[in-house]
């Protein structure tokens, strides 16, 4: 089933976002006050439990089924030498995912996550976005729908991640086009390019933004002009998850960049999302601040492929376990006050 039958359908979904269940969140907040602990003593774990209660519509939320979806795509902009690795590595890493040998295989297993890997036309990179739109309207809509297709209504948590040589350049371009300000603050080493490589990425993105300066500033047009198939797929998954009320755990800078054009159009799109971690890529903290998302972890990770978000999923599970399994003062016959 196609989630977004047209560009208009996608734009309508982004414009009309469902809200969490305020009553269930309020009930969860009451329960937190009744558990055998000083109020607020579990910090953000309490906030996570209340957050999930709102999106699951019940005071004692649980994670019975969680999925990590990793999207892979290739980028025409790599012709400008913006990555330390060749585009062939994308397909090689997808094969590594399939063989169970990547970090995300180990980390998703440790977090109890189903792992789904979606490779998007790796033999057909996006166009060089310094001289053309990265994708046609049809290609971008297809990517959005392939992302949306990984979201099931019975998921309790969706972890998102990506793989794609050159995609830190696309991510920086998306952020620069979505938000006011210059390019340099969004650009980092990505796969490990040196200072000259960073300067080259900045120059490439500036040329791209100048080329597309007269194009519409809608979320869809920004994604298709300077994004990538895997980033557009993440955007589609985020919007579809909102339609179905499924909370989303975001990975690093590239994954989070998918929400930048969405948030520029409708800032409320971030309300069902959690930042799993803050990566070592310098633009990530700036982006999280812009989106109003506080990361659960900061471990100097910059691998991508959903790795940081998968680690953070264990924090989410801990939060919901404490919320559900702790006794109340009344149940434990513990005095709630002096």
């Amino acid at each position: 089933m196609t989630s977004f039958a047209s560009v208009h359908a996608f734009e309508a979904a982004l414009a009309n976002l469902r809200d969490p269940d305020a009553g269930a969140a309020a009930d969860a907040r009451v329960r937190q006050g009744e558990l055998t602990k000083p109020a607020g003593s579990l910090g953000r774990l309490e906030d996570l439990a209340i957050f999930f209660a709102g999106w699951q519509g019940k005071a004692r939320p649980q994670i019975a089924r969680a999925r990590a979806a990793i999207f892979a795509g290739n980028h025409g902009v790599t012709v400008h030498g913006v990555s330390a690795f060749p585009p062939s590595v994308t397909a090689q890493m997808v094969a590594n995912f399939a063989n169970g040998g990547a970090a995300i295989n180990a980390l998703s297993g440790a977090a109890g996550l189903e792992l789904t890997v979606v490779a998007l036309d790796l033999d057909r990179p996006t166009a060089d976005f310094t001289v053309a739109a990265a994708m046609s309207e049809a290609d971008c809509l297809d990517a959005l729908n392939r992302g949306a297709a990984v979201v099931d209504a019975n998921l309790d948590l969706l972890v998102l991640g990506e793989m794609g040589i050159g995609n830190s350049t696309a991510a920086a371009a998306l952020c620069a086009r979505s938000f006011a300000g210059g390019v340099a603050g969004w650009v980092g080493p990505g796969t490990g390019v040196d200072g000259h490589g960073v300067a080259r990425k900045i120059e490439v993105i500036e040329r791209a933004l100048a080329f597309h300066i007269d194009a519409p500033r809608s979320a869809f047009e920004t994604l298709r002009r300077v994004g990538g198939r895997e980033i557009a797929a993440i955007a589609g998954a985020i919007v579809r998850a909102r339609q179905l009320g499924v909370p989303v755990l975001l990975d690093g800078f590239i994954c989070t960049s998918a929400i930048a054009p969405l948030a520029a159009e409708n800032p409320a799109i971030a309300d069902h999302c959690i930042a799993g971690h803050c990566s070592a890529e310098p633009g990530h903290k700036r982006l999280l601040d812009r989106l109003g998302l506080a990361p659960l972890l900061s471990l100097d990770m910059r691998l991508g492929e959903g790795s940081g978000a998968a680690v953070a999923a264990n924090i989410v599970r801990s939060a919901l376990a404490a919320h559900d399994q702790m006794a109340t003062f009344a149940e434990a016959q513990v005095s709630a006050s002096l």
Side-chain angles (χ1 to χ4, degrees), residues 174-182 186 259-261 263-264 286-287 290-291:
L174 284 168
C175 292
R177 192 169 200 267
S178 298
F179 305 123
W186 298 111
I259 207 172
R286 183 182 180 191
L287 179 55
R290 184 66 188 246
L291 296 172

Side-chain angles (χ1 to χ4, degrees), residues 196-258:
H196 294 294
V198 170
R200 185 163 52 249
K201 289 171 72 172
I202 293 171
E203 188 272 332
V204 166
I205 295 168
E206 287 176 340
R207 277 196 285 133
L209 297 184
F211 181 83
H212 298 286
I213 194 167
D214 294 326
R217 294 275 171 169
S218 68
F220 181 86
E221 282 298 308
T222 294
L223 283 166
R224 88 170 187 93
R225 286 178 180 275
V226 297
R229 288 188 179 88
E230 79 279 36
I231 300 176
I234 290 170
I238 290 168
V239 176
R240 183 58 176 159
R242 183 57 164 267
Q243 289 181 313
L244 297 176
V246 176
V248 168
L249 195 51
L250 299 167
D251 193 38
F253 177 57
I254 297 153
C255 175
T256 310
S257 76

Side-chain angles (χ1 to χ4, degrees), residues 92-107:
Q92 292 166 5
M93 280 303 301
V94 169
N96 194 28
F97 298 153
N99 292 329
I104 189 56
N105 295 97
L107 296 174

